[in-house]
Amino acid sequence: MYMDGTLTQNLVESPIQRYLDALYERFLPLRDGNVADYIPELATADRDAFGIALVTVDGHVYQAGDTRQPFTIQSISKALVYGLALEDNGVDAVTAKIGVEPSGDAFNSISLEDGTGRPLNPMINAGAIATTGLVHGKDRNEVLARILARFGQYMGHEPEVDGVVYASERDTGHRNRAIAHMLRNFDILEGDPEDALDVYFRQCSINVTCRDLALAAATLANRGVNPITGVVALKRDLVGKVLSVMSTCGMYDYAGSWIYEVGLPAKSGVGGGIMAVLPGQLGLGVFSPPLDARGNSVRGIRVCQEISKEFDLHLFNAARIAPSVIRARYDGSGVRSKRARTREQSEKLDEAGKRLRIYELHGDLAFGTTEIVIHDVTSAMTDTDYLILDFRRVYSVDGAAGKLLLRLCEDFETAGKQIVFTHTGNKFELERLLRRSLERETADRILRFADRDRALEWCENELLGQSASDLELSMSAGFTGQEYLDGLAPDQLARLESLLEKRRYAAGELIAHKGDPANEIFFLTRGAASISLPLVHNARTRLATLSAGMAFGESALIGDSHRTADVRAETDVECYVLLASELADVDDPELTQIRARLIENLACGLADKLRSANLEIQSLS
Ligand code: GLN
């Protein structure tokens, strides 16, 4: 936004997108590891290719690097095919043939259970070949077609087999062939073991992108429903079974350290892909061909470690579940602070208020819930310059959410826009991060206000284009500049002025006290005064702040009553005071006319207040 208050259309970038871009840059120079070459065709992979994709259970996609470059899915297929075999046969029939115990061995180990010949789990090759043998279909082609169709449900489009990689693997896969024949020997595989083996080679050679992997992972995170297409890719009661074997066995003999450190069920493949799932929140896909000694992508592991640490995604550090953290959102044209405005200012705010948006949040803010807020906010900020994030009903803000919010502040700053926080006082982690960022000057201006009312007031001043000196000016007005005296003729004004007493109050001084007799009307000519009510624990709620040119205590005109709130000078105040009884002489026609006019003005003022209260109620509902 420009200082003259004109509208800007700068887009706010998502801090999540910015984070992935930075992560990509950071790990691009990491060149450790070797491209798999035991399948000759894999050795031709581009070792520099590198992509990161993140898809949320709401279907929001973030990606950085080579996320559309195809590579073969390899062992990641094992997890998806396992789900299909469970659906085809039921859990008991599958576990009768394939165990669910981590082997701690390499992916291609020929370890079968003593006596039964059962592979230890479906994530090592032996278990995976047995799993493929369990997928229903009248022949190889039908089984493969069902697998491809199933992958299509996870990925939103049906992928294809890379014929060259398949041929390479088929011609050199002697070890896998040995495993398949052993499985046949123990009747784990039934029929021709070459059938299961052939489909297995093909399923490993299916081309995917890292966006596909992230979407498949997000589908698992979303209880089997593809979050973009809405298609069911896996029965919901089986999702937990697939994620369990991914947790305990998905990263081969690195599985234990992986779940301990990264805490995400995951599956890797020798093509360089890793798919990781945070149930209920998101899916990750990373692609980078060079592998470590265990056959896991070197960059893939580093990226997952970093993202998990940065955003506290460890499965067992779960956030409390909240359906949505956005309680209400609306623009500023219908809501006003308690700062009273002149009619002209008020009309200006009816229009300019559209450039302000207010989000009331509730519940617990962690990575997933904060992403929802950020996604909503960044897409709503094109015509908006100010954003109030109201934390009044937020229980907690964890470190990951705090970091994201801070980065959102920076992104707003870059786009020339402003975020205003309210009620952050008891969100200690957020407060700490905000303070630290101000100290380090990573953000020039982070604004926090005690409550929504004060935040609204600040934004309104900005929207009115009022600099501090403008505001100072508007805080002084002569007696004749009083809104409340509209329609009085010059001689009536002169008569009224003769009845007034001039008074001054120092900033902070009490002007009227709740319960006092209400017999005086105050016309502010300089400074500002606030009307407020005491609450429990020394807190107060502000009913209004009035500035020069405005009046308070007018109800003294309508009858004997008592003050219903406290009035305190916010700044040094100068005012004229009229004792209501001065106008009471019914035998004086001029006084009677003046009094009638003032009562009419009072009625107009009340009607205005009612109108804006109605507008506010409407925008809050
Ligand atoms: N197709 C490969 C194999 O069976 C898959 C191995 C893997 O990705 N870990 O050797």
Side-chain angles (χ1 to χ4, degrees):
M1 216 216 15
Y2 304 108
M3 281 323 282
D4 64 359
T6 48
L7 186 67
T8 54
Q9 293 235 325
N10 295 346
L11 295 176
V12 178
E13 214 197 337
S14 164
I16 297 170
Q17 181 57 50
R18 209 155 50 88
Y19 173 77
L20 287 193
D21 290 338
L23 205 59
Y24 170 82
E25 293 298 334
R26 176 169 161 204
F27 289 119
L28 198 57
L30 177 64
R31 301 187 55 78
D32 297 349
N34 295 305
V35 173
D37 56 6
Y38 74 99
I39 300 170
E41 191 53 33
L42 287 184
T44 66
D46 173 7
R47 61 170 293 130
D48 295 324
F50 180 27
I52 310 168
L54 185 158
V55 178
T56 70
V57 289
D58 291 309
H60 305 154
V61 181
Y62 303 90
Q63 39 191 337
D66 307 316
T67 52
R68 289 170 198 276
Q69 183 165 321
F71 56 94
T72 53
I73 187 168
Q74 297 299 338
S75 278
I76 302 166
S77 65
K78 293 170 180 171
L80 306 184
V81 174
Y82 185 61
L84 182 55
L86 288 172
E87 253 182 50
D88 282 354
N89 303 277
V91 172
D92 292 344
V94 173
T95 50
K97 299 233 178 220
I98 307 153
V100 290
E101 293 303 332
S103 70
D105 292 329
F107 68 86
N108 56 2
S109 69
I110 313 187
S111 53
L112 304 180
E113 197 177 63
D114 278 349
T116 63
R118 236 173 35 136
L120 290 176
N121 68 67
M123 301 292 105
I124 52 170
N125 289 6
I129 295 167
T131 302
T132 302
L134 288 173
V135 174
H136 290 180
K138 67 176 185 308
D139 56 24
R140 294 178 184 190
N141 289 339
E142 193 177 307
V143 173
L144 180 70
R146 290 191 66 236
I147 289 174
L148 285 168
R150 174 54 56 108
F151 284 21
Q153 291 165 341
Y154 278 103
M155 294 161 193
H157 67 98
E158 195 165 311
E160 287 172 3
V161 173
D162 182 322
V164 181
V165 174
Y166 158 66
S168 176
E169 191 161 348
R170 178 198 57 202
D171 297 344
T172 58
H174 308 299
R175 192 178 173 100
N176 284 331
R177 185 159 279 111
I179 290 173
H181 284 265
M182 284 244 305
L183 291 170
R184 179 67 191 85
N185 175 62
F186 286 106
D187 287 328
I188 298 292
L189 276 180
E190 292 163 20
D192 182 353
E194 291 293 329
D195 285 342
L197 192 63
D198 190 62
V199 177
Y200 171 77
F201 287 146
R202 287 182 207 262
Q203 89 184 37
C204 288
S205 307
I206 291 171
N207 269 329
V208 293
T209 65
C210 84
R211 184 185 188 278
D212 291 337
L213 291 185
L215 184 51
T219 301
L220 288 169
N222 196 33
R223 297 216 64 176
V225 180
N226 181 310
I228 292 180
T229 63
V231 165
V232 177
L234 180 61
K235 283 207 180 108
R236 59 186 283 143
D237 55 326
L238 297 174
V239 171
K241 308 287 183 223
V242 173
L243 291 177
S244 299
V245 291
M246 285 169 65
S247 303
T248 51
C249 323
M251 302 298 282
Y252 319 120
D253 41 339
Y254 183 56
S257 310
W258 173 268
I259 202 71
Y260 185 81
E261 191 186 342
V262 180
L264 300 173
K267 188 72 204 85
S268 71
V270 291
I274 294 183
M275 161 178 101
V277 180
L278 179 56
Q281 296 200 38
L282 56 91
L284 276 174
V286 191
F287 163 55
S288 167
L291 310 178
D292 63 17
R294 293 169 162 123
N296 293 318
S297 165
V298 174
R299 282 184 184 134
I301 287 200
R302 292 292 293 119
V303 164
C304 291
Q305 283 171 337
E306 276 309 311
I307 297 183
S308 170
K309 194 165 97 197
E310 179 73 11
F311 298 127
D312 193 11
L313 302 186
H314 198 293
L315 182 63
F316 301 128
N317 294 342
R320 283 211 307 233
I321 306 295
S324 166
V325 283
I326 302 174
R327 184 175 179 271
R329 52 162 131 41
Y330 41 89
D331 74 33
S333 56
V335 282
R336 289 283 183 280
S337 72
K338 299 290 192 280
R339 172 121 213 166
R341 304 289 177 183
T342 63
R343 196 158 305 151
E344 191 193 335
Q345 290 175 325
S346 200
E347 278 161 16
K348 207 167 160 191
L349 286 175
D350 287 343
E351 192 48 41
K354 298 196 180 101
R355 290 166 44 212
L356 160 67
R357 284 188 71 76
I358 299 120
Y359 277 67
E360 293 180 19
L361 309 177
H362 65 170
D364 291 302
L365 289 179
F367 177 83
T369 46
T370 308
E371 187 276 337
I372 294 171
V373 176
I374 285 178
H375 189 269
D376 205 284
V377 161
T378 49
S379 48
M381 289 306 290
T382 22
D383 295 332
T384 310
D385 291 316
Y386 300 94
L387 171 71
I388 295 177
L389 289 181
D390 183 349
F391 285 74
R392 176 158 174 215
R393 294 181 177 81
V394 170
Y395 306 128
S396 71
V397 180
D398 77 3
K403 274 186 260 184
L404 281 174
L405 289 167
L406 253 187
R407 288 178 194 158
L408 189 68
C409 289
E410 291 162 22
D411 290 330
F412 265 63
E413 214 166 287
T414 312
K417 299 172 193 273
Q418 179 71 47
I419 296 193
V420 179
F421 294 103
T422 76
H423 287 283
T424 53
N426 56 354
K427 314 297 170 317
F428 302 108
E429 180 63 14
L430 179 63
E431 278 291 320
R432 194 180 60 81
L433 287 167
L434 293 176
R435 266 199 312 275
R436 210 174 56 189
S437 153
L438 281 172
E439 280 159 17
R440 289 196 191 149
E441 293 175 8
T442 49
D444 286 345
R445 191 163 74 158
I446 290 173
L447 290 176
R448 281 165 292 172
F449 290 92
D451 55 33
R452 197 190 67 149
D453 181 33
R454 295 289 173 175
L456 275 173
E457 178 180 358
W458 184 88
C459 292
E460 287 167 1
N461 289 343
E462 290 278 304
L463 290 170
L464 291 169
Q466 280 186 327
S467 61
S469 60
D470 286 345
L471 205 62
E472 186 60 36
L473 259 182
S474 80
M475 280 163 70
S476 68
F479 175 64
T480 45
Q482 296 287 326
E483 283 189 333
Y484 195 56
L485 304 180
D486 277 359
L488 286 180
D491 48 335
Q492 291 176 319
L493 278 175
R495 176 80 192 276
L496 186 60
E497 196 164 0
S498 73
L499 303 173
L500 301 175
E501 177 201 340
K502 188 163 184 156
R503 268 190 226 158
R504 289 167 199 278
Y505 295 91
E509 207 176 326
L510 201 61
I511 302 176
H513 191 270
K514 188 179 170 204
D516 287 352
N519 51 11
E520 292 173 330
I521 303 158
F522 294 79
F523 298 96
L524 271 171
T525 52
R526 190 174 178 75
S530 282
I531 307 177
S532 69
L533 277 175
L535 303 173
V536 284
H537 302 313
N538 294 328
R540 317 201 123 252
T541 179
R542 169 166 86 151
L543 302 176
T545 296
L546 306 172
S547 34
M550 298 172 185
F552 58 88
E554 323 89 292
S555 53
L557 275 177
I558 338 184
D560 275 345
S561 64
H562 291 89
R563 297 285 174 220
T564 52
D566 295 334
V567 182
R568 195 177 290 275
E570 280 224 343
T571 62
D572 287 346
V573 157
E574 279 174 25
C575 57
Y576 288 109
V577 183
L578 170 68
L579 203 60
S581 57
E582 299 273 14
L583 298 176
D585 184 355
V586 286
D587 295 331
D588 184 326
E590 190 177 32
L591 280 186
T592 312
Q593 273 176 18
I594 294 175
R595 185 162 180 273
R597 186 71 222 183
L598 291 183
I599 290 183
E600 193 178 324
N601 288 349
L602 166 67
C604 286
L606 286 176
D608 278 348
K609 279 181 198 151
L610 191 59
R611 227 186 324 272
S612 52
N614 286 351
L615 256 178
E616 179 162 351
I617 290 168
Q618 194 180 31
S619 66
L620 292 178
S621 59

